Each structure stands twice: as structure tokens, then as C-alpha cells.
Amino acid sequence: MAKEFVKDITAMDEDFAQWYTDVVTKADLIDYSSVRGSMIIRPYGYALWDNIKNELDHRIKETGHENVYMPLFIPESLLQREKDHVEGFAPEVAVVTHGGSEELTERLVVRPTSEVLFCEHYKNIIHSYRDLPKLYNQWANVVRWEKTTRPFLRTLEFLWQEGHTCHATDEDAHEETTRMLNVYADICENILAIPVVKGQKTEKEKFAGAKFTYTIESLMHDGKALQSGTSHHLGTGFAEAFGIQYTDQEGKLQHVHQTSWGFTTRIIGALIMVHGDDRGLVIPPKAAPTQVMIVPIAQHKEGVLDFAYDLKESLSKVARVGIDASDKKPGWKFNEYEMKGIPVRLEVGPKDIENKQVVLVRRDTLEKVVVPMDQLETKLVELLDDIQTNLYNKALTHREERTSVALNFDEFKTTLETKGGFIKSMWCGDVACEEKIKEETSATSRCMPFEQEQLSDTCVCCGGKAEKMVYWAKAY
Amino acid sequence: MAKEFVKDITAMDEDFAQWYTDVVTKADLIDYSSVRGSMIIRPYGYALWDNIKNELDHRIKETGHENVYMPLFIPESLLQREKDHVEGFAPEVAVVTHGGSEELTERLVVRPTSEVLFCEHYKNIIHSYRDLPKLYNQWANVVRWEKTTRPFLRTLEFLWQEGHTCHATDEDAHEETTRMLNVYADICENILAIPVVKGQKTEKEKFAGAKFTYTIESLMHDGKALQSGTSHHLGTGFAEAFGIQYTDQEGKLQHVHQTSWGFTTRIIGALIMVHGDDRGLVIPPKAAPTQVMIVPIAQHKEGVLDFAYDLKESLSKVARVGIDASDKKPGWKFNEYEMKGIPVRLEVGPKDIENKQVVLVRRDTLEKVVVPMDQLETKLVELLDDIQTNLYNKALTHREERTSVALNFDEFKTTLETKGGFIKSMWCGDVACEEKIKEETSATSRCMPFEQEQLSDTCVCCGGKAEKMVYWAKAY
């Protein structure tokens, strides 16, 4: 064999962090490189990202956006133009100081995000109300100088899309912020089978330079939360800093209202930690590069391989089908595709051919079912649908089981320690309480959910008057 | 209007460089930014690249390759591992020296190409002959610190794909090198309608670290050549420097044989300079984001817009169709879509509707033809095919007219000065002659074409014995 197959990975409940590392490497998603904090995305990992990307790109275009490409480098002075923004990002940028063997007269920052480049461009191309809205998106790599890194979850460099839009009114920008958050939620829930809580970030947690930030938050198997996509209403702050103005229908100069929104390779980390189990990855059918893997049994026997290849061809009309006709043993193949989380394994051997049937094994429950050939297409499509739904429901049940209410700080601390997960609590709105909670429990405010509940009248931290319910959790 | 439409662009034959700059900006392909030498690829330019990318990605996958993603940064010591390679690239790299406000202990180079990263990864994952071939590709941005830059043609940062493969034998690697050159030639000739000369680079012009480099060379309207894609046989040089070895079927350790090949946004520059004219861009139908633009005439009259939108819908089955129903005047729209090089304009007004016909205007020849509604689909498809073929033939004729033979150095110089274009001449193989030609004429060897002709027995430069015919030209 090319490499030794190691069946054993660390059990999730024994050491979740090690389980995660085992899965990303043994399912061939990534490899490490000599570049600290950067990862190599291997073919299987990239195919997964490509699928997610295609689904998202389609929705981004359907909602009227166009793709563009901005430079990788940002002159330091340009990044400094918007005060809050530079404060937020300056501590975590990589800086190019030399080019072509010479020292540069102005340092160049490797983009951590591209707001300022879009703003500079928008200033050039927006003049009249007729030019609005401008709805641009970019697929790119960005760099943030993280101290501690983990594949997909936090890397020095990551891949993402960043949308940047300009609108005539505050309402239009607000609508766009909501629209794109909903697109992200749609991808998470309907493609990745990850239930999300939609809400607004607190002032402390919002994007540097934004008026407000909307977010979708999901819950991992270990009870920690993961921010899964954010959409920012930028207001007119950047427009004022960059002078992006348009002449309205009355001939008056106005600043544009902006939004930005991003979705990253981080989501693959969520996918792993929401659905994975002790056998490795579990990928929902709609996100899976390969939905069905055919494993021929006793393939040396006459007719088996031909039959298997014919099956692959006919089933390719209804699903993404692979076949492993290598000379590895079937059991070895079963392990490999379980590790890779392929939704359905199809086994077919001489007996099955004789009996006009095949065996389908679903990855999520490991149930086996014998299916007559003449029902195969229908049953397969049904099975894939069922797996998709089951994974979503399972993740939702898990989240519900691990979402608690805490009415006072003692309860908050006890729940967090014993149960983890999301804690719903009332908050007075004071950043001091938010900071105290973080300091004493290391839980952060995940969001003020759009679906509010009036759990009580008092802040979980200070006991003062409280009107906002907040989701709190330890987070990735 | 959002912006003033400026019909006049510099005439090609008056100032070709200025014409080029006018076209890339007025056709909305790019915008400049405050980042020296970097460009903003605007929606129309990006859609063009996306089309080319999709066509190429499809062919790359069809030939068995998988996409991966490697880090943006390369530790300086890693780049230095292969001697020739670092000598070739070190003078033109951008260097990150600071990250997260601290000075780095090892400088990081922004990738100018990713051979060394692939090599490091291949060393990790290749062990046995069963692991071969490894056929990887990456779509990425790269940075080369160019002194003089021009949109698409030479920019600090550009987009490309870079293929990197490992094979068991020299022959397999050689075959791969040829296969991918042919894929590039196919994209150029059959999608972009750009005829190419296939051949091998001289030792002086080959890729830094390669055994040899294959290239496709095309000729621009002004008689200068443009290297349009290269495919390198890397031999075992990198494998030796990085220790990439596999155990063969006899159990013996062997170094892998490698290739790499790249195709970049530069090709958009070729597209512009091969097909463009004094009205702006001309895009071949197969590369065009929009193949047909519908311009309603007298659109305020009842039924015109409905008819035009119905047309758009029905024609979308056979072509990529746009419609401009804005309140700009038709003449203004004609100019705009001519500038953007959209292959066919479809005009339809009240008279046409009455007569059950539309008017098609082809961008390449500006010919108008009235087409009865019941023949429209068929005629449109024929017309798009005809434009594609016509553009290729026109470019081929131009190249043939501007390809000359020179048998001695005087003839060489005179031809280059009076006529430009490709010069076919015999060469002794001595780099001294190659350098002398470059120094005295600024023409460079473009390639030793696969289709050789024995023009004479003597070198065009030194008069010594010569067996190789070379294409020479001034080049971008």
C-alpha cells in the first residue's frame, strides 16, 4: 500500500482537539507545510470547498452581485484611512517591506480584508444615483497574523468570499445586510445541514468600522460555538473617510451606505465538528464531492467489475458517484470511505448480481439495506435525501439539548462548566458585564438573536435592568 | 448618465500602447488602484477570466488532474533549496518581514510560483510507485516584482493556474509536458481564436530549474509576440533537491520526474491585442461572457420591451444573451457594446415586430443582416460560429503575413525594423548569438518550433553551422 491505513483515531469524547486533528489529516483534507499556521488544502478538502463555493457563488449571482478581483496588497496609508478599521486590523497584518531586492518607500499590508480597496474603487466609479446599487463580490485569499492556529478554524491565510456593496439609502443597505445573512444561513442549513442562530453582534464583538454586524452562530459537537458567517452594515463611516458620494435625484451630494459580508474555509471546520464521529468525517450529501462510493466485492470474479462500472455510469445521472476498483481489500476500502465521510457506500458482488440487487450502507447510521436493482435509482435518491435531513435534525437536537437558560451569574457559571453549549441569558447592554463574563468564564457573547425571549428583567451579570437576550458560549 | 461615454479612443496605428490602455479602461475591464503595478479586475474583465478559467479547469480535470491549494507564503530557506530556481526568482520577489507587529525570525516570500511548496508536499505523500502519477493543479494569485507594468500583460500580482505533477519515468513526464501544452493551444485556438506556434524555449529562455520548457507563442496586431502559456519538464532536479523518492516495483528507490505548467490572466492582453480594432474590444463568441446583446429600438412604444424580453428568454437556450433596456439612446448603446466587443448586437423595434424579423449586427465585420423570426435561432448559432472562425482566420492570416524568413543578420535587422512580426531564422545553438541578436535588435528567441524547416545551413547571426530553426520577435 502507498501508506499504512490507520483505522484508529482518537475518540471524540476522550480528546476532541486531537480527534479533530486526526480527522483533518487522516481523511486527507489537509497537510501541514513549513509555513507556520498555513495549511495545504488537499484534493479532497479542496473539492469540498469547491462544492460549497459553487453553491454560494450561484446564490451570490442570483441576488444580483458581480465578481471582481482586487489587489492582494494594501498601502499602509490606505488601511489607516478609516480609524476604527485600522485599529481592528493593524495588530494582525503581515507586512511586505521589500520588493525586487529593494526596501519599499511605503510598506504594503497583505489584505486581511478588502474594504479599503473597494472604497477607493467605489470612489472612482460612483457618481450618480444611477450608479447605485453597486453589488460586488470577490473570491480571494486573505491573511491574518494569528498566534495560535488550527486547520480551517484559524489559519494565517484562509480562502473566502467578501461581498462589498454600496446603496443609496440606509434602508437599502440594511436590507442587503439581512439578505446576505439569509444566504449564508441557507447554505449552512440546506447544504451543510448545520442549524444556525441568526442575530446581531454586540458593539464589542462587531466588525471594526461597522455600524452593526449580523452573524450566524452554530454549535459544535463539543459544545463550543463557531461564528459561521457575518454580514456588516457599514453605514456611511467608510464613505465619509473615502469620500464616496453620489448626486441624488434632486442634484444633492450624498454619501453612499455600505455593507460587507464574508464566508470562509472555516466552515469546513464546522462541518467536521458538527457531523463527525469516531469513525471520522460525515459529509451531508448536498456538500459531498462524492455522494456514493461503489466498492466491488470479489472483483476478480468475472463480470463484477463490468457490472460495477455500468452501475457507476447509470447512477451518475442522479448522484455524484465514485468507484474504487483498486486491489485493496474491501474492508480497507470501507474504512477509508467511512473516514472520508462519503454518505453512501454501495457494495456489489457476484451474489448480488445473481440476485439482481445491491447493498447500500449509509454513513450516518451505518445501517445496511439491500435494494433490488429495479428500484435502485429511486431508493438511492430517497436515501440521500433522508441522510441530509437526518444529519440536520441530529445537529438541531444536539444544539437544543445543549442550549440552556441562566438567570443569574452562579447558574451561568455552573451550566457552562457542567454542560457547555449555548447559554441564553438577559443582558443589560453594558460592555462591562460582557467583559466580566468573558474574564470569569471565557464565554463570549455570540449574538443577540433576532428571535428574542424575555427570560427575566434582570442582567445575568450585574442584576440591573435588562431587555436583551443574548446567546453566550465558549467559542472557536 | 453615470459617466460620460467617450467614443474616441486612440487609433491603433497611431499609438498602439495608448490604444491598449484606452481599451482596457473604456471597455470596463480594469481600474487602477493606489497599489503600484496592481490592477482591479472589474466585473466585465473578471467574467471574461472566469469563462477562460472554466474552459481550462474543465480540460485540466478531464486529463485527470485534481485541484489543491498551497500557502501564499514561502519561507526564504525553502525557496533557496533548488539552486537554479532561486537564482531565477529571487530578484523579483516581494518579502514579508513583519507579522502581527513583530519582526519575523525568517523572512517569508510571497509566492512567485509554487514549485517548492508542491515539492515539500510531494515528499510527504509520495512513497511508492502506486502513488504515481500525482497530478495536481492550483488556481491562485502570484506576485513578481516587475519594474514596468501594464494591465494584464505584466502586473505585480496576477491570477493563474499552475499545474505540478510527479511521474515514475522521464517519458511519462515528457508526455505530460506535451499534453498540457496541447491543452493550452486548444484553449487559445478554439476558445480564444488565437493561432499559436508550438515549440521549445532555448536554454537561455527556459524556466529556472527546468530540464526544458515548451511554449505557445502568439502574434499581436502590432507585430510583437506574446508568450501565451508554458509547460516545463522539470526532470529530477527538484526531486533531488527535495528528496522526493518512490520505491519502484523492484523495491529500488527512485527520484520522481516532474512537470509544471502555467496559464495566466496575461492571455486577456493577448485577446485584446489580437482581435481588437479602432472601436475597441472584439471578443470571440466562445470566450464572450455575453454573446448577444439585445438593444430594443423605440422601447417606449407598446409591446417592444415585452417582445425583447421574450426574445432574451427564448434565445438563452442557444446563447449567452443580455439585454439593455436602460433609458440611454440606442446609438449610445451601440457604441458601448462595440467598445466591449460583444460578438452580436440584436436590434428590434416596432417595425421589426410588425415584419416578424430582427436585425443582427456582427461585431467583427459590422455587417448587418435582417433575419426572419422563424429562422432566428438557427441563424444566430450559425453567425456565432462564423464569427469565431472568421476571427481565427483573420488572426492566422495576419500572423502569416507578418512572418518572414531571414537568412543573414542584415536581412534580419531590416525585416525586423520595416515589418516586425515573427522572423524565422537558422541558429547555431550558441547563446552568444542569441544574446547578440537581443542586444542589437531587442528581438528574443521565442521558440524552436516543433515544425522545423531547414531554411539554410548557417546561423543567421554568426554564419556558423546551424541545424535549428528559431522564431524570433520583439515580445511583450
Side-chain angles (χ1 to χ4, degrees):
Chain A
M1 293 309 129
K3 60 173 181 186
E4 209 58 35
F5 180 72
V6 184
K7 188 193 168 182
D8 290 337
I9 54 173
T10 308
M12 301 178 85
D13 295 332
E14 188 181 302
D15 182 345
F16 193 72
Q18 188 57 49
W19 169 84
Y20 181 82
T21 305
D22 288 351
V23 170
V24 291
T25 50
K26 295 204 170 124
D28 290 345
L29 293 178
I30 68 121
D31 192 16
Y32 295 96
S33 77
S34 61
V35 192
R36 183 189 78 81
S38 296
M39 61 181 173
I40 293 165
I41 307 181
R42 301 189 64 183
Y44 192 51
Y46 199 83
L48 191 54
W49 174 240
D50 231 12
N51 256 9
I52 298 169
K53 187 179 160 183
N54 288 338
E55 291 284 353
L56 183 52
D57 191 60
H58 175 68
R59 286 164 175 77
I60 287 172
K61 283 176 180 153
E62 247 189 350
T63 44
H65 303 82
E66 298 178 293
N67 285 333
V68 300
Y69 188 76
M70 292 282 156
L72 171 68
F73 297 138
I74 304 175
E76 212 167 35
S77 60
L78 192 67
L79 188 67
Q80 288 160 351
R81 197 83 65 83
E82 210 286 335
K83 191 179 56 63
D84 293 334
H85 190 63
V86 67
E87 274 175 22
F89 284 102
E92 55 178 50
V93 293
V95 186
V96 174
T97 56
H98 290 72
S101 323
E102 281 171 24
E103 191 167 351
L104 306 182
T105 51
E106 177 169 13
R107 291 153 47 108
L108 297 175
V109 162
V110 182
R111 63 178 164 219
T113 179
S114 306
E115 270 73 9
V116 298
L117 292 168
F118 275 90
C119 284
E120 198 190 26
H121 180 49
Y122 281 140
K123 184 184 160 51
N124 276 347
I125 63 168
I126 293 174
H127 306 289
S128 143
Y129 67 93
R130 289 169 189 265
D131 298 327
L132 297 174
K134 276 276 177 279
L135 307 172
Y136 286 175
N137 175 63
Q138 133 164 305
W139 290 95
N141 54 342
V142 286
V143 169
R144 295 181 189 175
W145 208 262
E146 305 283 359
K147 289 233 160 69
T148 321
T149 60
R150 186 113 51 110
F152 295 116
L153 296 172
R154 197 169 291 278
T155 45
L156 239 66
E157 180 191 5
F158 57 87
L159 303 181
W160 78 345
Q161 64 63 224
E162 46 179 321
H164 296 268
T165 67
C166 293
H167 306 265
T169 66
D170 184 79
E171 295 73 49
D172 289 352
H174 196 146
E175 245 177 56
E176 168 81 1
T177 311
T178 306
R179 181 183 303 118
M180 299 322 290
L181 191 81
N182 286 334
V183 164
Y184 291 159
D186 176 31
I187 290 284
C188 282
E189 303 204 317
N190 297 316
I191 303 298
L192 306 174
I194 299 175
V196 296
V197 176
K198 296 183 205 172
Q200 184 173 336
K201 287 282 184 190
T202 60
E203 280 297 297
K204 174 172 153 47
E205 299 287 336
K206 75 176 186 185
F207 179 76
K211 184 177 167 186
F212 60 75
T213 289
Y214 285 166
T215 180
I216 47 173
E217 300 283 329
S218 55
L219 196 69
M220 306 298 102
H221 176 83
D222 65 343
K224 283 169 82 175
L226 189 134
Q227 174 181 308
S228 304
T230 48
S231 183
H232 318 292
H233 189 319
L234 301 179
T236 56
F238 283 92
E240 283 160 25
F242 285 83
I244 315 171
Q245 290 182 294
Y246 71 97
T247 310
D248 69 13
Q249 284 179 280
E250 279 77 48
K252 249 181 75 183
L253 265 184
Q254 304 277 5
H255 284 108
V256 300
H257 301 258
Q258 295 181 274
T259 83
S260 73
W261 26 276
F263 198 80
T264 84
T265 34
R266 195 164 205 231
I267 203 66
I268 294 177
L271 187 77
I272 297 166
M273 293 195 292
V274 167
H275 301 303
D277 63 22
D278 282 341
R279 288 170 185 254
L281 270 184
V282 178
I283 306 188
K286 287 194 186 164
T290 301
Q291 298 173 313
V292 184
M293 181 60 78
I294 300 177
V295 178
I297 309 294
Q299 65 183 37
H300 58 281
K301 297 230 170 125
E302 209 194 317
V304 173
L305 273 184
D306 283 348
F307 191 88
Y309 275 106
D310 286 350
L311 258 185
K312 177 181 187 305
E313 205 187 311
S314 66
L315 290 179
S316 292
K317 283 177 298 184
V318 296
R320 295 186 286 271
V321 186
I323 185 167
D324 185 346
S326 70
D327 56 7
K328 298 170 199 161
K329 291 195 175 128
W332 205 97
K333 295 180 189 175
F334 296 172
N335 283 337
E336 179 174 359
Y337 301 116
E338 279 174 9
M339 177 68 79
K340 289 192 163 171
I342 292 180
V344 173
R345 177 172 81 233
L346 187 157
E347 304 170 12
V348 61
K351 271 268 159 59
D352 300 306
I353 296 173
E354 207 182 298
N355 297 331
K356 294 190 176 134
Q357 65 184 38
V358 301
V359 178
L360 299 182
V361 187
R362 53 192 287 177
R363 173 65 182 86
D364 57 343
T365 60
L366 301 173
E367 279 171 283
K368 270 193 180 201
V369 49
V370 176
V371 179
M373 277 301 295
D374 58 3
Q375 297 172 26
L376 181 55
E377 274 185 33
T378 323
K379 291 285 180 195
L380 181 62
V381 171
E382 281 171 18
L383 185 60
L384 291 170
D385 277 352
D386 193 57
I387 296 171
Q388 184 79 26
T389 309
N390 177 52
L391 287 175
Y392 179 82
N393 289 339
K394 212 170 128 189
L396 186 61
T397 304
H398 174 260
R399 189 189 77 189
E400 282 168 354
E401 282 170 5
R402 300 195 76 170
T403 300
S404 316
V405 170
L407 298 177
N408 59 57
F409 205 19
D410 280 343
E411 202 180 350
F412 189 103
K413 287 180 190 167
T414 313
T415 310
L416 194 70
E417 258 166 57
T418 54
K419 200 175 156 192
F422 279 131
I423 301 184
K424 300 195 283 189
S425 288
M426 299 306 289
W427 174 56
C428 62
D430 192 339
V431 70
C433 286
E434 204 178 350
E435 278 167 358
K436 187 178 169 195
I437 290 173
K438 186 175 178 184
E439 202 177 301
E440 296 193 15
T441 70
S442 79
T444 48
S445 71
R446 303 318 307 156
C447 70
M448 302 176 285
F450 294 151
E451 287 185 22
Q452 284 283 314
E453 299 165 52
Q454 189 69 32
L455 304 172
S456 80
D457 299 324
T458 55
C459 176
V460 71
C461 183
C462 68
K465 190 167 184 301
E467 286 173 352
K468 274 281 171 200
M469 182 181 83
V470 170
Y471 271 83
W472 307 83
K474 293 187 186 178
Y476 281 96
Chain B
M1 293 311 131
K3 60 173 182 188
E4 208 58 35
F5 180 72
V6 184
K7 187 192 167 181
D8 290 339
I9 55 173
T10 307
M12 301 176 86
D13 295 333
E14 189 181 298
D15 182 347
F16 192 72
Q18 187 58 48
W19 169 85
Y20 181 82
T21 305
D22 288 352
V23 170
V24 291
T25 51
K26 296 204 169 128
D28 290 345
L29 294 178
I30 67 120
D31 192 14
Y32 296 96
S33 76
S34 60
V35 192
R36 183 189 78 81
S38 296
M39 61 180 172
I40 293 165
I41 308 181
R42 301 189 64 183
Y44 192 51
Y46 198 83
L48 192 54
W49 174 241
D50 232 10
N51 256 9
I52 298 169
K53 188 180 160 183
N54 288 339
E55 291 283 354
L56 183 51
D57 192 60
H58 175 68
R59 286 164 175 78
I60 287 173
K61 285 176 179 154
E62 246 188 351
T63 44
H65 303 82
E66 299 178 291
N67 286 332
V68 299
Y69 187 76
M70 291 281 157
L72 171 67
F73 297 137
I74 303 175
E76 212 167 34
S77 59
L78 191 68
L79 189 67
Q80 287 160 350
R81 198 82 66 84
E82 210 286 334
K83 189 180 57 63
D84 293 336
H85 191 63
V86 66
E87 273 176 23
F89 283 102
E92 55 178 48
V93 294
V95 185
V96 174
T97 57
H98 290 72
S101 323
E102 282 172 24
E103 191 166 352
L104 306 182
T105 51
E106 177 169 13
R107 292 153 47 109
L108 297 175
V109 163
V110 183
R111 64 179 163 219
T113 178
S114 307
E115 269 74 10
V116 298
L117 292 168
F118 275 89
C119 284
E120 198 191 25
H121 180 49
Y122 281 141
K123 183 184 161 50
N124 277 347
I125 63 167
I126 292 174
H127 307 288
S128 143
Y129 68 93
R130 290 170 189 264
D131 298 327
L132 297 175
K134 274 275 177 279
L135 308 172
Y136 286 175
N137 175 63
Q138 133 164 307
W139 290 95
N141 54 342
V142 287
V143 169
R144 296 181 187 175
W145 208 261
E146 304 283 358
K147 289 234 159 67
T148 322
T149 60
R150 188 114 48 110
F152 296 115
L153 295 172
R154 198 169 291 277
T155 44
L156 240 66
E157 180 192 4
F158 57 86
L159 303 182
W160 78 346
Q161 63 64 223
E162 45 179 322
H164 296 269
T165 68
C166 293
H167 307 263
T169 67
D170 184 80
E171 296 73 46
D172 288 352
H174 195 147
E175 245 178 56
E176 168 82 0
T177 312
T178 306
R179 181 182 305 119
M180 299 322 291
L181 192 81
N182 286 335
V183 164
Y184 292 158
D186 175 32
I187 290 285
C188 282
E189 302 203 319
N190 297 316
I191 304 297
L192 306 174
I194 298 175
V196 295
V197 176
K198 295 184 207 172
Q200 182 172 338
K201 287 283 185 191
T202 60
E203 280 296 299
K204 175 171 152 47
E205 300 286 338
K206 76 176 184 187
F207 179 76
K211 183 177 167 187
F212 59 75
T213 289
Y214 285 165
T215 180
I216 48 173
E217 300 283 329
S218 56
L219 197 68
M220 306 298 103
H221 176 84
D222 65 343
K224 282 168 83 173
L226 189 135
Q227 176 182 306
S228 303
T230 48
S231 183
H232 318 293
H233 189 318
L234 300 180
T236 55
F238 282 91
E240 283 161 25
F242 285 82
I244 316 171
Q245 290 182 295
Y246 70 96
T247 310
D248 69 14
Q249 284 178 280
E250 279 77 48
K252 247 181 76 181
L253 266 184
Q254 303 278 4
H255 284 109
V256 301
H257 301 258
Q258 294 181 274
T259 83
S260 73
W261 25 277
F263 197 80
T264 84
T265 35
R266 193 164 208 231
I267 203 67
I268 295 177
L271 187 78
I272 297 165
M273 293 195 292
V274 167
H275 301 303
D277 64 22
D278 283 341
R279 288 169 184 255
L281 271 184
V282 178
I283 306 189
K286 288 193 185 165
T290 302
Q291 297 174 314
V292 183
M293 181 60 78
I294 300 177
V295 179
I297 310 294
Q299 65 183 36
H300 58 283
K301 297 227 171 128
E302 208 195 316
V304 173
L305 273 184
D306 284 346
F307 192 88
Y309 275 106
D310 286 350
L311 257 185
K312 177 180 186 307
E313 206 188 310
S314 66
L315 290 178
S316 291
K317 284 177 297 185
V318 297
R320 294 186 286 270
V321 186
I323 186 168
D324 186 345
S326 69
D327 57 6
K328 299 169 198 164
K329 290 193 177 133
W332 204 96
K333 296 179 188 176
F334 296 173
N335 284 337
E336 181 175 356
Y337 300 116
E338 280 175 8
M339 177 68 79
K340 290 192 164 172
I342 291 180
V344 172
R345 178 171 81 232
L346 187 158
E347 303 170 13
V348 60
K351 271 268 159 60
D352 300 306
I353 296 173
E354 207 182 300
N355 297 331
K356 295 190 175 139
Q357 64 182 38
V358 300
V359 178
L360 298 181
V361 187
R362 55 192 285 175
R363 174 64 182 87
D364 58 341
T365 61
L366 301 173
E367 277 171 285
K368 271 191 182 203
V369 49
V370 176
V371 178
M373 277 301 295
D374 58 3
Q375 297 172 27
L376 181 54
E377 274 185 32
T378 324
K379 290 284 178 195
L380 181 62
V381 171
E382 280 171 18
L383 185 60
L384 290 170
D385 277 352
D386 193 56
I387 295 171
Q388 184 79 26
T389 309
N390 178 52
L391 285 175
Y392 180 82
N393 289 339
K394 212 170 128 190
L396 185 62
T397 304
H398 174 260
R399 188 188 79 187
E400 281 167 355
E401 282 169 7
R402 299 195 75 169
T403 300
S404 315
V405 169
L407 298 176
N408 60 57
F409 206 18
D410 280 344
E411 202 180 349
F412 188 102
K413 289 179 189 165
T414 313
T415 309
L416 194 70
E417 258 165 57
T418 55
K419 201 176 155 194
F422 279 131
I423 299 184
K424 300 195 284 190
S425 287
M426 299 306 290
W427 174 56
C428 61
D430 191 339
V431 69
C433 286
E434 205 179 349
E435 277 167 358
K436 187 178 169 193
I437 289 173
K438 185 174 178 184
E439 201 177 303
E440 295 194 15
T441 71
S442 78
T444 49
S445 70
R446 304 317 307 155
C447 70
M448 302 177 284
F450 295 151
E451 287 185 21
Q452 284 282 316
E453 299 166 51
Q454 189 69 34
L455 304 171
S456 81
D457 300 323
T458 55
C459 175
V460 71
C461 183
C462 69
K465 190 167 183 300
E467 286 173 353
K468 273 281 172 201
M469 182 180 84
V470 170
Y471 272 83
W472 307 83
K474 293 185 185 177
Y476 280 97

